Amino acid sequence: MADIKTEEGKKERHYVYYDGESVSGKVNVTLKKPGTKLEHQGIKVEFLGQIELYYDKGNHHEFTSLVKDLARPGELCQNITYAFEFVNVEKPYESYTGANVRLRYFLRVTIVRRLSDIVKEMEIIVHSLSSYPEINSPIKMEVGIEDCLHIEFEYNKSKYHLKDVIVGKIYFLLVRIKIRHMEIGIIKRETTGSGPNSYSDNETVAKYEIMDGAPVRGESIPIRVFLAGYDLTPTMKDINKKFSVRYYLNLVLVDEEDRRYFKQQEIVLWRKGELTRKTIQQSAPVESK
């Protein structure tokens, strides 16, 4: 199981599934009073994947929709259990709840009735696994202000898994301004929409000071950032042409007059792992009541 944020910012725990895994379980229909009858026009279970943009709440963009009929129209006279299975379901994207968008997967059971349907939904979480990227070159850049400041920074990789450690160094080649301190941060940028209608929301996920006091020419400052302690998701690029999530390392220098000098560098985050038979066997079934 895993945690995922709700729209209200609270955390909920649900079963985790992966792309290509079957989703199976049981639907228990229980009559409120023994001896009563329930007329219906059919019972069905659906597996749905949706993207919901918060500024367009009434519109759900479905990218996955599977339906199985559990019962034909008729009458229920006693409690009953229906087994169901969606075999080898394609789940192309990672579950995500952000500032302006939500991507969710859920099971929905509907008992169709003449006046009002009885509907029950159950969320599941989908994680997208990746193997180690073949090309993972280090990041090396020189930045500065002419005749005032010249620094070189280096990060060991450009792609990191969610439990990885960012290791790097900052070299001061020229320092002619009075720097008070330096900090490094991880910025998450969520972009919804496209073209002129796109909107970006920046969130500082992590920030801490890596230097206090004025550096001198030739000084080297080490960087070590442990990603495991932060609430991060994999990088998501143009998901279903609706949204993207990107991450940046943000290096900030503050001088004695509170002027800020910063440089951002994009990094790619991914969820480490490969789908195996063992992974599939360990996943628990979903049961809706």
Side-chain angles (χ1 to χ4, degrees), residues 175-239:
V175 185
R176 286 183 179 164
I177 56 176
K178 293 182 178 179
I179 297 173
R180 195 171 69 205
H181 71 265
M182 181 166 64
E183 59 191 37
I184 191 168
I186 300 172
I187 293 176
K188 172 180 155 187
R189 182 170 300 154
E190 176 189 292
T191 305
T192 50
S194 59
N197 298 320
S198 66
Y199 175 77
S200 291
D201 185 274
N202 291 332
E203 178 191 349
T204 302
V205 179
K207 183 173 73 173
Y208 69 97
E209 197 172 275
I210 56 174
M211 186 192 73
D212 185 20
V216 296
R217 182 179 176 178
E219 193 163 358
S220 170
I221 306 293
I223 294 172
R224 192 172 288 267
V225 181
F226 293 85
L227 299 179
Y230 302 112
D231 188 15
L232 302 169
T233 69
T235 295
M236 304 180 188
K237 294 184 178 178
D238 199 22
I239 300 299

Side-chain angles (χ1 to χ4, degrees), residues 238-260:
D238 199 22
I239 300 299
N240 205 234
K241 297 183 179 179
K242 295 291 184 291
F243 73 97
S244 298
V245 179
R246 288 180 163 88
Y247 289 90
Y248 297 83
L249 284 176
N250 191 37
L251 185 67
V252 181
L253 289 88
V254 182
D255 68 12
E256 291 188 342
E257 296 178 14
D258 273 340
R259 287 179 296 207
R260 298 170 72 85

Side-chain angles (χ1 to χ4, degrees), residues 12-25:
E12 289 184 349
R13 245 177 128 63
H14 299 292
Y15 291 119
V16 175
Y17 284 83
Y18 302 97
D19 183 27
E21 269 194 292
S22 297
V23 179
S24 62

Side-chain angles (χ1 to χ4, degrees), residues 78-279:
Q78 59 185 12
N79 300 342
I80 193 167
T81 296
Y82 299 101
F84 69 88
E85 183 176 23
F86 295 99
V87 180
N88 302 335
V89 184
E90 185 181 349
K91 310 174 200 71
Y93 312 120
E94 172 119 355
S95 297
Y96 175 74
T97 304
N100 299 297
V101 63
R102 178 168 67 151
L103 190 153
R104 62 188 285 245
Y105 294 87
F106 60 100
L107 290 161
R108 180 164 63 201
V109 175
T110 306
I111 300 176
V112 183
R113 301 171 75 200
R114 285 180 182 173
L115 295 177
S116 60
D117 295 345
I118 300 171
V119 181
K120 171 74 175 179
E121 291 184 356
M122 183 173 185
E123 303 279 335
I124 69 166
I125 296 172
V126 170
H127 282 174
S128 298
L129 300 180
S130 302
S131 54
Y132 192 84
E134 290 180 12
I135 300 172
N136 200 350
S137 52
I139 299 170
K140 290 184 180 180
M141 289 189 73
E142 290 187 19
V143 295
I145 306 162
E146 194 174 352
D147 297 330
C148 293
L149 178 69
H150 190 188
I151 63 174
E152 183 181 275
F153 62 86
E154 180 181 328
Y155 302 116
N156 62 333
K157 294 183 286 191
S158 54
K159 300 172 183 176
Y160 299 88
H161 63 78
L162 298 183
K163 306 294 182 184
D164 216 335
V165 182
I166 297 172
V167 177
K169 281 186 179 180
I170 309 289
Y171 301 96
F172 289 89
L173 306 175
L174 177 66
V175 185
R176 286 183 179 164
I177 56 176
K178 293 182 178 179
I179 297 173
R180 195 171 69 205
H181 71 265
M182 181 166 64
E183 59 191 37
I184 191 168
I186 300 172
I187 293 176
K188 172 180 155 187
R189 182 170 300 154
E190 176 189 292
T191 305
T192 50
S194 59
N197 298 320
S198 66
Y199 175 77
S200 291
D201 185 274
N202 291 332
E203 178 191 349
T204 302
V205 179
K207 183 173 73 173
Y208 69 97
E209 197 172 275
I210 56 174
M211 186 192 73
D212 185 20
V216 296
R217 182 179 176 178
E219 193 163 358
S220 170
I221 306 293
I223 294 172
R224 192 172 288 267
V225 181
F226 293 85
L227 299 179
Y230 302 112
D231 188 15
L232 302 169
T233 69
T235 295
M236 304 180 188
K237 294 184 178 178
D238 199 22
I239 300 299
N240 205 234
K241 297 183 179 179
K242 295 291 184 291
F243 73 97
S244 298
V245 179
R246 288 180 163 88
Y247 289 90
Y248 297 83
L249 284 176
N250 191 37
L251 185 67
V252 181
L253 289 88
V254 182
D255 68 12
E256 291 188 342
E257 296 178 14
D258 273 340
R259 287 179 296 207
R260 298 170 72 85
Y261 310 89
F262 65 91
K263 180 66 180 177
Q264 286 187 3
Q265 176 63 43
E266 185 174 2
I267 57 172
V268 175
L269 300 184
W270 51 283
R271 191 180 296 282
K272 188 177 181 182
E274 294 181 3
L275 189 59
T276 62
R277 288 185 179 178
K278 187 178 178 184
T279 310

